[in-house]
Amino acid sequence: MEEVIVYIFRTMSLLLKTDPFLYEGAFPAFDKPSVIGEMCVTKQRDVLPGRSRAKYLHEKAVGQKCNLDLSIGYQQFEGKDVLHNEKLDVLLKWIFIHSEAGSSLNKVCHKADFICWRGTLTRIACSPYECRDGWRLAVVRYKSVIFLCEFPTDEKILQLKSMSDRDKLMTYWGFKFEQYITSDSLSGEPNRNEPVTNLEEFDVVVKARLGGRKGFRILYSGETDCIDAAEDEYVELKTQRKELTNDFWRYKAMKWWVQSFLIGIQNIIIGFRDNNGIVTHIERLKVSQLAKKARQWSANVTFNFLVAMLNCLKELLEISPDLIYYVLEFDPSKRCITFQVSPSNSAFNFLPNWFLVHFDNANS
């Protein structure tokens, strides 16, 4: 059977077209995401269950005029290696930590059909309107669960390697803004003098059902910038050049909305900056407003496409034996997603051996 699958799909085959008009219609059934876990990730990429190292929103800064220089401390920035793909390792560690001896993968993962990062779902959902950036995913089924993992395209790798000093500085601005308006404790003040790092993170793990009873159970995780203690809710932090103009509502608003909606985030805190990285005022934006004011994109289309994509993947993987990896590629210029079987022992085989050994020895 495995040889037959590899033979049939050894070349790129069409999986799905992405034209938006194909996915118009009512918004699909989507249960409110349910938080099943939180984790802090250390600089050494160790996973600590809970929110012991989470950041908290400094509420006093919101709604105020200010003069925050986002370039301060750039030379001391402790940043990730942008060319290193961490794959699903952190999320798999969380699953491993929460698995009791002998417990099945199905039980630990809350009977999920799919497991991935939130960013992967965001990337897929936005595809009908994406005209510039393609993407590449590897997918595999293991013990009835389908895992999705993003890999950089050749174009993305080239882009990262050729980043200008200005590009790198502007990337830093977002992390510096987080430092300006968050603290380490509920009643603490921001520590604005220590070196900024993005080597640590606070992630939320959620489960959700998409597409109703005949749809899919998805377990996914996403990095969350901070917690608003007053409302006991997660908050996204963003910087935005000048005001929310037409271009914002046409392009960026969609990605902000999908990203936040998937986790159940209701508010985004925006630092409005100038071209020199000076934040002049900070405001709160309701996530619901992003979809209501959408320009040239539809929330319905994004999630209808996500349903269609997951349905295609489930049908494809159901006819494959376990641990047959597929590589999917989205080319915006061709408005379609293609796939092929990945060769054995390729770089796309992302489930680590320690994870497989652990659950191979568990109950089915």
Side-chain angles (χ1 to χ4, degrees):
M1 177 65 173
E2 180 175 335
E3 290 78 8
V4 173
I5 294 293
V6 172
Y7 176 77
I8 294 174
F9 299 126
R10 64 185 177 184
T11 58
M12 278 293 184
S13 302
L14 176 66
L15 181 69
L16 202 60
K17 293 183 178 180
T18 62
D19 303 276
F21 73 88
L22 297 173
Y23 306 98
E24 295 173 350
F27 196 87
F30 181 64
D31 293 352
K32 181 180 178 181
S34 174
V35 176
I36 59 174
E38 298 173 331
M39 60 177 161
C40 298
V41 184
T42 70
K43 291 181 180 180
Q44 294 74 34
R45 312 313 288 166
D46 294 324
V47 172
L48 306 177
R51 56 172 63 176
S52 60
R53 300 192 183 187
K55 300 293 184 180
Y56 293 87
L57 178 66
H58 186 56
E59 189 70 35
K60 295 178 183 178
V62 181
Q64 302 296 318
K65 292 184 178 181
C66 56
N67 184 38
L68 305 178
D69 187 346
L70 299 179
S71 298
I72 291 177
Y74 173 58
Q75 299 303 325
Q76 289 75 46
F77 177 46
E78 299 176 353
K80 293 179 181 178
D81 178 358
V82 295
L83 294 175
H84 173 64
N85 185 2
E86 202 167 24
K87 305 172 190 173
L88 287 185
D89 288 358
V90 167
L91 183 52
L92 298 180
K93 288 178 183 178
W94 182 88
I95 294 171
F96 177 85
I97 289 171
H98 286 80
S99 63
E100 300 175 359
S103 58
S104 68
L105 179 64
N106 189 48
K107 179 181 179 181
V108 177
C109 297
H110 296 256
K111 299 181 179 180
D113 298 299
F114 294 92
I115 292 177
C116 60
W117 288 114
R118 170 190 56 177
T120 300
L121 297 177
T122 301
R123 192 88 65 193
I124 293 171
C126 293
S127 298
Y129 298 104
E130 181 58 66
C131 300
R132 186 182 63 179
D133 297 327
W135 49 253
R136 177 185 288 156
L137 302 177
V139 299
V140 66
R141 189 184 69 174
Y142 174 60
K143 291 187 177 292
S144 78
V145 181
I146 298 173
F147 295 82
L148 293 79
C149 180
E150 186 170 1
F151 285 79
T153 62
D154 296 341
E155 292 78 12
K156 183 63 176 180
I157 293 173
L158 180 61
Q159 176 190 339
L160 292 172
K161 287 182 176 180
S162 59
M163 286 180 70
S164 66
D165 291 340
R166 172 73 175 178
D167 293 333
K168 294 175 183 177
L169 175 62
M170 292 178 69
T171 299
Y172 169 78
W173 285 350
F175 300 116
K176 182 63 179 179
F177 178 64
E178 293 176 15
Q179 185 190 64
Y180 271 126
I181 65 167
T182 63
S183 62
D184 294 331
S185 61
L186 291 170
S187 57
E189 294 288 322
N191 185 345
R192 299 174 175 178
N193 298 318
E194 64 181 6
V196 175
T197 179
N198 68 348
L199 297 176
E200 299 176 324
E201 62 190 70
F202 171 61
D203 297 335
V204 177
V205 184
V206 304
K207 64 177 181 179
R209 181 184 285 272
L210 176 62
R213 287 189 175 183
K214 295 183 179 180
F216 320 101
R217 292 180 295 267
I218 316 172
L219 186 151
Y220 52 98
S221 178
E223 183 175 359
T224 304
D225 295 325
C226 66
I227 299 169
D228 183 348
E231 302 295 333
D232 191 27
E233 65 180 26
Y234 307 117
V235 176
E236 288 283 349
L237 306 178
K238 303 287 188 182
T239 59
Q240 170 66 22
R241 178 179 172 273
K242 298 184 178 180
E243 301 301 322
L244 304 182
T245 60
N246 288 339
D247 281 347
F248 169 82
W249 296 107
R250 189 176 297 122
Y251 302 111
K252 190 180 289 187
M254 174 180 62
K255 294 181 180 179
W256 284 17
W257 178 80
V258 174
Q259 180 187 53
S260 300
F261 185 76
L262 282 168
I263 296 290
I265 289 173
Q266 300 181 46
N267 291 283
I268 298 174
I269 305 300
I270 306 175
F272 291 92
R273 63 167 180 82
D274 61 19
N275 289 335
N276 296 316
I278 305 297
V279 174
T280 57
H281 61 289
I282 301 171
E283 303 293 342
R284 185 187 301 267
L285 175 68
K286 289 286 186 183
V287 170
S288 58
Q289 292 299 308
L290 295 171
K292 289 179 181 178
K293 296 183 179 181
R295 299 280 180 85
Q296 298 183 11
W297 64 273
S298 162
N300 294 17
V301 168
T302 61
F303 267 65
N304 283 332
F305 179 76
L306 182 57
V307 170
M309 176 72 170
L310 295 182
N311 187 58
C312 283
L313 288 179
K314 192 167 186 180
E315 291 180 354
L316 175 65
L317 273 294
E318 280 181 344
I319 65 172
S320 298
D322 271 11
L323 297 177
I324 296 292
Y325 286 82
Y326 291 82
V327 178
L328 284 64
E329 296 197 8
F330 167 56
D331 184 341
S333 66
K334 297 179 180 178
R335 309 306 308 158
C336 68
I337 295 169
T338 55
F339 72 97
Q340 67 178 358
V341 170
S342 173
S344 300
N345 301 317
S346 81
F348 296 109
N349 297 12
F350 59 84
L351 290 181
N353 190 58
W354 58 262
F355 184 82
L356 298 176
V357 168
H358 177 75
F359 285 104
D360 278 344
N361 294 329
N363 297 324
S364 300

